[in-house]
Amino acid sequence: MMPNGMNSQGAQNGPMNVVIVEPYVYSALYRLIGKRVVLDTTRGSVSGIVRDAKPDHVVVEEQDSTFFVRIREIVWIMPEA
């Protein structure tokens, strides 16, 4: 190990940030921006209008409430007609 905490390959010891991206779910949510949806999550359902979609979360707005839902917590997505 080198004096600055790095090993000879340049990797840092300690925790590493890992992000799991679900490209198909992200793509589906991105196409639903501006539309009403129901999201079923591991903690219950959220319904409203999709305002934004990022690789790790989606923003859903319902009246005066805004929800930021992690994509990895979504079980299913149902667009409302």
Side-chain angles (χ1 to χ4, degrees), residues 33-81:
I33 290 175
K35 297 183 177 151
R36 289 193 61 77
V37 297
V38 177
L39 303 177
D40 188 49
T41 73
T42 57
R43 302 204 35 145
S45 293
V46 176
S47 63
I49 298 173
V50 176
R51 292 297 179 202
D52 196 10
K54 301 291 185 204
D56 65 332
H57 72 276
V58 61
V59 180
V60 178
E61 186 177 83
E62 180 64 274
Q63 295 177 346
D64 295 335
S65 299
T66 302
F67 302 95
F68 296 83
V69 180
R70 285 182 165 179
I71 286 179
R72 71 181 190 187
E73 297 295 320
I74 296 173
V75 178
W76 51 259
I77 303 164
M78 182 176 65
E80 290 186 353

Side-chain angles (χ1 to χ4, degrees), residues 21-32 53-55 71 77:
V21 176
E22 301 211 26
Y24 294 104
V25 177
Y26 165 66
S27 177
L29 288 166
Y30 190 82
R31 287 192 310 268
L32 290 170
K54 301 291 185 204
I71 286 179
I77 303 164

